Amino acid sequence: MEGFVFPNEQNVVWTVMIVLYPYITGLVAGAFVVSSLYHLFGRDEIRPVARFSLGAAFVFLLFAPLPLLVHLGHPERAFNIMITPNFSSAMAGFGYIYTAYLLLVGIEIWFIFRDDMIRRADGRGFWRLVARVALLNDLRATEASHATDRRIIRFLAGLGIPMACLLHGYVGFLFGSIKANPWWSTPLMFVIFIFSAIVSGIAVLIFHYMLIARINRWKIDQACVRSLGRFLWGFMIIAVSLEVLEVVSIAYKQSEEWEILARLIEDRLFFSYIILQFLVFSLVPFLLLGLNALFRFRDAVSNAILWIASVMLLVQVLLMRWNVVIGGQLVSKSYRGFTSYMPGVFEREGLAVAVVIFTIPFGLLYVFHRFVPLFPPEAMRPTTPAERPAPSQADLH
Amino acid sequence: MSRPPDDPSDRRRFLRIVVQSAGGFFFAGCLADAEDGGPPAPPGGTAYDWNKFYWAYAVDTDRCIGCGSCMRACRTENLVPEGFYRTWVERYEIDADDKAHVDIALGRSASFDRDALPPAAGRRKAFFVPKLCNHCKNSVCSQVCPVGASYQTKDGVVLVDEQHCVGCAYCVQACPYATRFINPHKHVADKCTFCYHRITVGLPPACVLVCPTKARMYGNLKDRKDELQAILHRRRYMLLKPELGTNPKCYYLGLDLEVV
Ligand code: SF4
Ligand code: SF4
């Protein structure tokens, strides 16, 4: 603590879980946008990760409310938010937006994986049962039904983009609409959240796809990852510019709150915000991705660059969430001082629980993949020793 | 089962569970609301008619001597958990360079730290400012509460329904005056209730009752003969953070610019 802080401000009330929650919904929104790049915008080179991205969006979505439940003082009353919503509250929409989006992604997944599930349903064992239940025991598939499926998928992919923006923009709005908090209260907040969500979504897909390909010795689809890399670069430029602009505009206006915010940035958040979020984890990936987009490196080099940049951007977005959520609460509403916060490891809302919540979706993705393949056959081709040194033929545009 | 199965309240609860689990969360909620008749009936039975009251509070900063009686009384009256405050008293010291030093009476004893002051020689002025929930007319806390657990009563008091609050702490974030906290035992939002259990039976709030200098006052804005109204008509007053549009109903007489 430093300076004068109101007496009830000695405890930071939104901690690790509330950092994790927007992080996870961001991954959902971003991964969904990637899947729509293929299903809706016809970026065919993204096909190898199109289903994977939707699967990732789905499993992360399943776990998005978990940090909130862990955080609530009375999780058993969580449904009050849907039973007795107070519509003047920005938070009241959560239940509805979330449920609607979960349904949408679930239905889209169902249509996309229908053929695979039909194949499963013809097989044997446990998965046969699961597939039959999921398909309601309807195993018909004709040319006409496929055409219908594709139309529905396109429609859902289209509808999903505004929904993804809504889901995540809304999270930004939760913070941006708190006029009591000078660090949060800006109309730019929800735009920043949307773009950083897309960045984290693309980054997690590149990171995870390359990791899986590595482990399974699949050949990484160069056209796909290079294209994703360019999207990542573009979206990160927008996201980081907005983040910078936001602070610059408050600073330039020199309004009452700037005095305390300047101290927040220079003092309290200097390391996590200026050094880490901007100088290390934004600037370095920006340069790496820029180099990779402008020059043609060997595949191995390009992949390494992409992978490192993706990991760094995943950290960048996490840092951004941290600096927003925690940073905002460090400033006393008296504008005269700061409270302090150090996350605990083994407490209910501590780091250990956060790590567990964050890793379960990855495990679930693996189970998902055991059920129906998350990658198309061409993405799962093994690398042959002869192929390794040769430049990729796939990337010709 | 202690109650006979045809007890209507049992049946009603059962029906409610069935309807809710069938997926009709929203509509069940509407029904439940209608059945309860909106906000809870004011305590005090029929004697108290909340249509006749609109409560307001005033603090005369010139009078406060920083004794902390109000804080102790509040803690005892409302069982405020250790480390949290429904009301508190701030001490301001403006030094020779016009710099404000602010601190607070902390702990159970609600006493100030004598050594925390700048030397008396360089002191320009000093004063105390009691703080509490402002029972804002346009209260952000009830605006942001996702489940409607924070609400305004008809007689102008902002309260928290402990049975309904989910403990999300959104209201704690939203209150510009930091008067709210999450009760560490009940895990719900907690703050000054204006001693609603007292004012509705004709007793003053505990803090007002014990204040030896009458620095704390309360009154009914709907009563034209009310003493508080007379004071507000006569004296000049200020609100805390008026620029945020919360329209507090806690009026500060003699407030200094340094106070936020
Ligand atoms: S002071 Fe804070 S808690 Fe009290 S009514 Fe105003 S906004 Fe709500
Ligand atoms: S903590 Fe309780 S009273 Fe406050 S916003 Fe959440 S549900 Fe409403």
Side-chain angles (χ1 to χ4, degrees):
Chain A
M1 257 206 313
E2 177 197 329
F4 172 64
V5 171
F6 287 134
N8 293 325
E9 288 181 323
Q10 321 216 0
N11 302 292
V12 166
V13 285
W14 282 359
T15 57
V16 177
M17 289 301 140
I18 306 296
V19 175
L20 190 61
Y21 157 65
Y23 191 57
I24 294 185
T25 56
L27 295 178
V28 174
F32 188 87
V33 168
V34 171
S35 86
S36 292
L37 283 177
Y38 171 73
H39 291 296
L40 188 67
F41 297 113
R43 306 296 309 218
D44 285 333
E45 74 276 13
I46 290 175
R47 187 177 139 87
V49 297
R51 308 162 118 224
F52 176 59
S53 55
L54 202 61
F58 187 63
V59 290
F60 279 119
L61 195 55
L62 283 179
F63 280 84
L66 196 57
L68 290 184
L69 286 179
V70 174
H71 159 75
L72 285 190
H74 282 275
E76 80 283 4
R77 298 180 189 164
F79 277 114
N80 283 0
I81 202 169
M82 289 172 89
I83 303 171
T84 57
N86 169 28
F87 286 117
S88 69
S89 163
M91 203 182 267
F94 174 77
Y96 297 108
I97 298 179
Y98 173 79
T99 314
Y101 194 54
L102 188 66
L103 277 177
L104 183 138
V105 178
I107 296 173
E108 189 178 341
I109 287 216
W110 191 85
F111 277 106
I112 287 181
F113 289 91
R114 208 160 76 94
D115 277 345
D116 299 273
M117 288 198 286
I118 291 176
R119 231 164 284 137
R120 268 290 182 199
D122 278 339
R124 272 187 291 139
F126 171 67
W127 291 124
R128 170 195 162 93
L129 182 69
V130 177
R132 286 201 174 244
V133 172
L135 289 165
L136 304 175
N137 211 18
D138 179 359
L139 307 186
R140 285 165 302 173
T142 61
E143 215 16 76
S145 78
H146 280 146
T148 317
D149 286 2
R150 272 196 298 277
R151 269 203 305 279
I152 296 178
I153 291 169
R154 268 179 76 85
F155 172 73
L156 291 176
L159 186 63
I161 292 201
M163 294 268 293
C165 289
L166 192 65
L167 177 76
H168 203 68
Y170 147 85
V171 178
F173 184 76
L174 277 187
F175 293 98
S177 61
I178 295 294
K179 61 185 168 192
N181 190 315
W183 188 232
W184 291 348
S185 153
T186 144
L188 262 188
M189 195 56 95
F190 76 97
V191 192
I192 295 179
F193 266 66
I194 290 175
F195 280 102
S196 60
I198 298 176
V199 169
S200 68
I202 303 177
V204 80
L205 290 175
I206 297 180
F207 156 78
H208 203 186
Y209 167 55
M210 285 191 169
L211 193 70
I212 295 176
R214 212 17 196 308
I215 294 172
N216 293 306
R217 299 181 180 285
W218 298 340
K219 187 164 161 22
I220 292 174
D221 188 305
Q222 285 311 126
C224 172
V225 289
R226 278 184 194 261
S227 166
L228 284 178
R230 277 191 295 270
F231 276 114
L232 185 60
W233 192 45
F235 279 113
M236 82 148 287
I237 292 176
I238 302 179
V240 176
S241 315
L242 287 173
E243 284 163 26
V244 174
L245 275 177
E246 184 216 337
V247 180
V248 168
S249 75
I250 310 178
Y252 189 78
K253 281 191 280 185
Q254 295 274 322
S255 41
E256 188 194 354
E257 66 266 22
W258 175 242
E259 199 183 321
I260 189 83
L261 291 185
R263 274 173 60 201
L264 175 75
I265 295 169
E266 285 160 18
D267 245 37
R268 288 293 155 139
L269 296 183
F270 188 75
F271 187 64
S272 66
Y273 186 67
I274 301 287
I275 303 279
L276 292 183
Q277 183 182 330
F278 285 118
L279 291 182
V280 179
F281 288 95
S282 297
L283 197 60
V284 176
F286 166 73
L287 295 175
L288 287 177
L289 290 172
L291 286 176
N292 199 45
L294 300 176
F295 300 98
R296 262 207 94 82
F297 297 107
R298 275 191 302 124
D299 287 349
V301 177
S302 157
N303 288 347
I305 291 181
L306 271 176
W307 197 76
I308 293 171
S310 300
V311 173
M312 290 188 83
L313 282 174
L314 276 176
V315 179
Q316 194 267 359
V317 176
L318 186 60
L319 281 165
M320 176 258 175
R321 307 286 190 247
W322 176 275
N323 288 326
V324 168
V325 176
I326 304 296
Q329 295 175 85
L330 295 183
V331 183
S332 166
K333 287 165 179 168
S334 70
Y335 287 10
R336 286 180 187 278
F338 301 97
T339 169
S340 47
Y341 172 69
M342 244 338 214
V345 179
F346 293 112
E347 55 198 32
R348 176 170 140 189
E349 294 192 50
L351 295 174
V353 178
V355 170
V356 171
I357 293 181
F358 187 64
T359 35
I360 302 174
F362 289 95
L364 209 60
L365 259 183
Y366 177 72
V367 178
F368 198 137
H369 182 64
R370 299 296 303 242
F371 176 42
V372 281
L374 282 172
F375 295 94
E378 72 267 21
M380 297 193 285
R381 267 177 323 186
T383 20
T384 56
E387 250 179 311
R388 257 181 223 150
S392 164
Q393 294 301 307
D395 190 20
L396 288 175
H397 64 106
Chain B
M1 267 231 234
S2 54
R3 253 183 294 192
D6 59 349
D7 179 328
S9 68
D10 238 18
R11 231 183 306 142
R12 198 159 54 195
R13 197 176 316 142
F14 174 73
L15 272 177
R16 198 189 288 180
I17 292 171
V18 169
V19 175
Q20 287 174 358
S21 46
F25 290 119
F26 178 67
F27 296 104
C30 297
L31 289 179
D33 256 5
E35 172 196 283
D36 296 345
T46 45
Y48 180 77
D49 176 4
W50 69 357
N51 294 307
K52 297 205 176 98
F53 295 87
Y54 198 63
W55 297 108
Y57 201 97
V59 172
D60 189 339
T61 54
D62 285 330
R63 286 185 167 193
C64 178
I65 53 170
C67 66
S69 304
C70 48
M71 295 172 68
R72 289 186 292 274
C74 178
R75 198 171 287 284
T76 315
E77 176 71 26
N78 297 302
L79 302 173
V80 181
E82 200 92 32
F84 297 92
Y85 300 80
R86 284 188 178 189
T87 183
W88 66 92
V89 180
E90 293 166 5
R91 174 173 66 178
Y92 286 75
E93 294 265 339
I94 315 292
D95 69 14
D97 304 322
D98 272 341
K99 202 170 152 358
H101 302 259
V102 192
D103 65 346
I104 241 166
L106 284 176
R108 272 215 157 267
S109 63
S111 46
F112 285 96
D113 177 4
R114 280 175 194 283
D115 307 327
L117 290 180
R123 216 178 283 160
R124 286 234 170 121
K125 66 180 164 186
F127 51 89
F128 297 98
V129 183
K131 293 269 184 83
L132 66 159
C133 168
N134 293 278
H135 296 279
C136 310
K137 282 185 209 147
N138 190 10
S139 55
V140 246
C141 53
S142 21
Q143 183 195 6
V144 304
C145 175
V147 298
S150 276
Y151 62 100
Q152 298 198 31
T153 61
K154 239 181 158 177
D155 42 358
V157 177
V158 176
L159 295 176
V160 181
D161 182 347
E162 282 182 3
Q163 307 299 322
H164 201 66
C165 166
V166 294
C168 65
Y170 201 22
C171 55
V172 179
Q173 304 290 2
C175 170
Y177 310 99
T179 64
R180 291 185 166 238
F181 54 91
I182 294 293
N183 186 306
H185 311 303
K186 298 179 183 165
H187 308 290
V188 293
D190 194 329
K191 69 163 192 77
C192 159
T193 59
F194 214 126
C195 278
Y196 202 63
H197 58 293
R198 295 175 57 89
I199 54 174
T200 47
V201 293
L203 298 170
C207 51
V208 174
L209 180 72
V210 298
C211 179
T213 60
K214 292 216 170 85
R216 291 176 175 254
M217 295 159 272
Y218 83 117
N220 173 13
L221 295 186
K222 277 195 179 164
D223 177 2
R224 295 194 142 252
K225 291 201 261 330
D226 187 86
E227 203 185 326
L228 184 83
Q229 276 205 52
I231 294 172
L232 292 179
H233 287 168
R234 200 172 61 240
R235 303 273 306 271
R236 292 166 198 190
Y237 58 81
M238 187 47 190
L239 304 171
L240 293 175
K241 302 197 184 185
E243 72 281 4
L244 292 182
T246 48
N247 289 335
K249 275 202 311 310
C250 179
Y251 302 94
Y252 280 89
L253 308 171
L255 196 69
D256 193 88
L257 184 64
E258 286 292 348
V259 182
V260 279

